[in-house]
Amino acid sequence: MAATLLQLCTDALEGVDGFEVPGTIVGNTDPTAVLLKSVAAQIGRELVREVNWQTLKTAHSFATVASTSAYSLPADYQRFANLTFWNTSEEQPLLGPLGAIGWAELTRGMTVLGVRYAFHVSGGYLNITPTPSEVQNIGYDYYSRYYSTTAAGVAQEDWLLDSDLWRLDRDMAVLGMRYRFRAR
């Protein structure tokens, strides 16, 4: 079962001499509560950056718009799951993600793709070439950067309530929080 923020903080302080576990964390001005919330968020952001957690893997799809090549990434996008891009309209995988050199070659060079699409990420946008001339349905998987959810299961960027749930490995959270708490 997923742990709440309050449970994680309680577990992290268990056995740490000289500190009482606060009864609440979010909105509490007690320095211990403020520090616990801060280290919980720090551990969340760090673990999301370092590991491709299956629990954070999310499917996303969208329809292209004719004559539009740039599309916004999901708000919680951290990184793509490898080899998951698919043009379901054409039943073909997309090439990519291309690096800057490969993208420049395709968009400014002499390379011809035909009808197969390729993509590149730049400036927070997913860029597709060739620019679609008609609606295409594109799907891919990515890893979310949201390490917590509401009690109802809605993923979110940060801790908003003591009852918010941790989405990752509980032991890693507790040990990481305890270490950072003691270090400070």
Side-chain angles (χ1 to χ4, degrees), residues 28-154:
N28 190 338
T29 58
D30 175 72
T32 300
V34 171
L35 181 55
L36 284 169
K37 182 177 182 274
S38 172
V39 297
Q42 186 178 29
I43 290 297
R45 289 188 303 270
E46 185 176 314
L47 288 175
V48 163
R49 276 192 312 269
E50 300 296 325
V51 179
N52 290 336
W53 298 93
Q54 289 304 306
T55 188
L56 299 181
K57 192 173 181 183
T58 306
H60 180 71
S61 62
F62 65 96
T64 64
V65 176
S67 302
T68 301
S69 63
Y71 299 88
S72 296
L73 295 168
D76 64 333
Y77 166 82
Q78 175 68 26
R79 69 183 147 275
F80 296 118
N82 290 335
L83 305 173
T84 62
F85 269 81
W86 200 260
N87 178 343
T88 58
S89 298
E90 301 289 330
E91 297 181 352
Q92 287 188 348
L94 272 71
L95 300 173
L98 299 177
I101 294 170
W103 184 252
E105 182 180 68
L106 284 178
T107 58
R108 298 183 200 121
M110 301 300 278
T111 305
V112 177
L113 281 178
V115 295
R116 190 153 181 208
Y117 293 96
F119 70 98
H120 171 73
V121 176
S122 178
Y125 289 94
L126 176 78
N127 300 284
I128 298 175
T129 192
T131 301
S133 59
E134 58 187 33
V135 174
Q136 299 289 316
N137 294 306
I138 308 294
Y140 61 89
D141 293 345
Y142 69 95
Y143 292 96
S144 172
R145 63 185 175 86
Y146 291 177
Y147 53 82
S148 70
T149 69
T150 65
V154 178

Side-chain angles (χ1 to χ4, degrees), residues 171-182:
D171 291 337
M172 289 186 83
V174 169
L175 292 173
M177 289 172 63
R178 186 176 295 153
Y179 173 80
R180 289 184 191 258
F181 184 85
R182 288 180 146 202

